[in-house]
Structure formats: structure tokens, C-alpha cells
Amino acid sequence: MKSITSYTSEAFVIQGGKPLKGRVKVSGSKNASLPIIMASLLPREVSIIENVPDLLDTLTAFELIKSLGASVDFQNGVATIDARYLRDYKAPDEMVRRMRASVLVMGPLLAKFGKAVVSMPGGCSIGVRSIDQHLKVFEKGGANIEVKHGYIHLQVDKIKPVEHTFEVITVTGTENALMFLSGCERRSLLRNIALEPEVMDLVDVLKKMGVEIEIEDRTAVIRGSSELKSFKHTVIPDRIEAGTLMVAGFLTGGEVVLENTRVEHLGSVIEKLREAGAQVELLSLNSLRVKRDGDIKPLVISTAEYPGFPTDMQAQFMVLCCLAKGVSEIRENIFENRFQHVAELQRMGANIHVRDRTAIVKGVEKLSGAEVYSTDLRASASLVLAGLVAEGTTTVRDIHHLDRGYEKLEEKLRSLGATIERLPRREG
Ligand code: EPU
């Protein structure tokens, strides 16, 4: 397994203007892998997870469960996890700071040990991101919750069945609740749950462990077990990586075929790409072709929970809007501070005005290469996309954000004809 420092290279240098052409395989989903890695703490025998992307975030998740006593072997996308001998139930501050999704360890630890101590996550670059909804479910299930010295201490003797309606739709909140209630043998009811494909992938895993889960509309009925079985599971393809590569193909005026994707998860992204003028041809359930043979049309985008347009694709689509013939409007409804890429895109010549949660983007003739800084994962992807079409050279710095969530992105883009190079970390 690689060390964390092997991911911290500093910059991409991109020569813009090459249309991307060819075939590319989409990696396993980051946001599906993370809860499934945490769920592997639940059974008492060895579990196997396939199609796990090799990323900074998955590595952090492995480190976290190893620090709790699990043993992990990760090779060629296959993780073999033995959580028989856990000895700890604490997620330390440095892990939670490195990756907020570390909070996903709360549900499984409570279900298995009846105890969890997790550093209280602070705000992050895209918003405040409270975890009150996670805690409300734990509390209803009988957990005692105390915040001491920056840590949340949770303790429960026997998990009680829960009937709960989420006040906001939350992806990791739903996942944590499902993993927690897997440890309760009586029937619980969760309303207003998230239906993202990543949540459904976790549901599949929990069912393989012997948990009974039925979902209708946004309501889940769940009955757990005290003896959860080990599982073998192949993680779904990453729909956000797929969407990013589709935008790359269309934006650069190329023709890209995506393989190993799940077309059914890409509905709203395909719809918006078609509205922008892309030709999207569905080749099979797992493969599609994207190409462009005209101008980019302006868009009206409003981010929403699945099956709506994903917030994780908002920054990438903004780059399309920067070069569209006309004025686009992008409204970010999920996170309150997810427009940090705007200032960097403006440095490249984009015409964008932000008011509250809406960005008005007036299309320009071209973007020009510049030195720009990543602020979060999807913002960095948008800067790479902008670099691929900009005139001249773009240097995208702080790409450790990108390395959290895109497996071998530059290799994939290079295989499609992009000129992109990774600069080693600057010393000092
Ligand atoms: N929220 C609350 N209270 C809670 C939980 C959430 O108020 O207890 C609010 C959040 O502040 C936010 C909204 O609800 O405004 C939705 O947040 P959600 O909990 O759904 O986000 P998350 O679970 O923390 C996951 C993904 C994000 C993705 C969002 C939305 C993982 C590990 N992360 O985050 O992915 O943007 O759902 O789809 O699954 C990324 O991959 O770049 C990324 C940020």
C-alpha cells in the first residue's frame, strides 16, 4: 500500500487546446467505497471489497480502520479486511481533519462496540457541514452523546429501534444511520433518506451481511442482526468521475467513450450535457459516447439531491458555461460555500458574477492559461478542465485536493490525448 506522502505532489501543468479522443475506463466510486470500508468493521469475519479506487481518501479510510485494530490488505483495487480483533473505538482529530467522511465510523462502532469517540468535525471549505442529523438518529437509538475537548463521545448499551424523519436529506447521515441500525434486531423506520447510488451500494452490502432493508420513495424500513455476515462486494463505478470525463470530452470538442460506467446513475448529467449541445450515445448499460459538433449552449442548473443534478458536478459544468454562447445560471442548493473555483476561473478570463447561491456566467470566446489554486476536490477538477481548453499553459496547484477523489486522472486524460504533466512537490 502507498504512503500518504506519495500522493502529495503539487501541481499539474496543462497545455490547453487538444480535443480529447478515445476510450477510458471509469474507476470505482470514492463516495461508495468510504462507507463500505467502514461497514466492513461490522461482521466478525473477513470481507472483500472489489473495485476500490486507489486514492488519498480511501487510503485514509484504511488507515483509520487499521488504527482501530482491523487488518487491511489492498492490492489492485481489492481490499481484504479482517475486523475480528478490533481494539479501539476512537477516530482521532488528524483523521477527521484529513477526511470528514471519517465520521462514518460512528455508526459501525456503535453497532459493534456500543461505543465511539470521534473528533468533532469543524467546518470545511465548501460549507459548515453539521452532523446534527447523524447524532439525532444515534440519540433516538438510545445513545448517550457528550462533546468533550473537541471529541464526541457516544455510548449505547443496546440499540433501540428508531423512527426518524431527517430534517435535511443527508448522504453520510443516511449511511451512518443505516450502519448504526444494522446492530438493532428490531424494526426501525427512517424517512426522508438520501437515495444517492452510493447509499444504495451500501444498502446492497448491508443486505449481504444479513440486514433486512426495504426502501420505498424516501423511506427505509430496516431490521438488523447481532450476527452480521462477512461479504464480498464490487463497488459501483464513480458517477462523478464519469461526469467529469464526459465534460472533458465535450468541452474540448473531442469524442470520448466511457467504459465501466453505470448509465442509469448519470441521468441528470446526461440531460444537461445534451441541453448544452452534446451528442450522448448510450452504447450499453455500462458504456456511452460523448461528442461535440457545434457551439456550447448556455444552461440553467440547480443542484439537488439525487436524482437531481449533483453538487459534485457543479464546478465542472461551470467551465462549460464559461465558454457557452450566452448567459447561464447556476444555483448551488446543497452547500453554502461551493463557489470557490469562481475566483480562479476568473483569473483565466471567465465572466462570472455570484450573488448569494447563484452564479451568473456569461460565456466568453476563450479562457487563457494561468496559475490557479485548488480549494477543494471538485473545484480542482474544474480547473483541470479549464486548463484543457484554455489557450496556453495552465498550472493547477494544490492538487492534493484532486488526489483525494480522482484515480490516475492525468494518466486517463493523457491516454485521451491531453498534454498534462504532474510537477513534483516543491521543497521548502
Ligand atoms: N447537513 C446538515 N446536518 C447533517 C448533515 C448534513 O445540516 O447532519 C447539511 C449539510 O451541511 C449540507 C447538506 O445537508 O448542506 C447535504 O450534506 P450531506 O450530509 O448530504 O453531505 P455529506 O454526506 O457530508 C456527501 C459526499 C459529498 C457530496 C454530498 C452531497 C461523501 C463522503 N461525501 O457528503 O461529496 O457533495 O454528499 O451529495 O459521500 C465530494 O465527493 O467532493 C463531496 C464533497
Side-chain angles (χ1 to χ4, degrees), residues 30-31 34 101 126 129-134 168-172 196 311-312 334-336 338 377-378:
K30 165 182 85 85
N31 288 347
L34 298 176
I126 60 175
R129 300 182 80 178
S130 154
I131 54 160
D132 59 312
Q133 299 299 309
H134 307 223
V168 286
I169 298 175
T170 156
V171 172
T172 48
E196 269 64 5
T311 172
D312 290 347
I334 307 295
F335 292 110
E336 65 278 15
R338 213 175 195 184
L377 170 56
R378 308 304 170 187

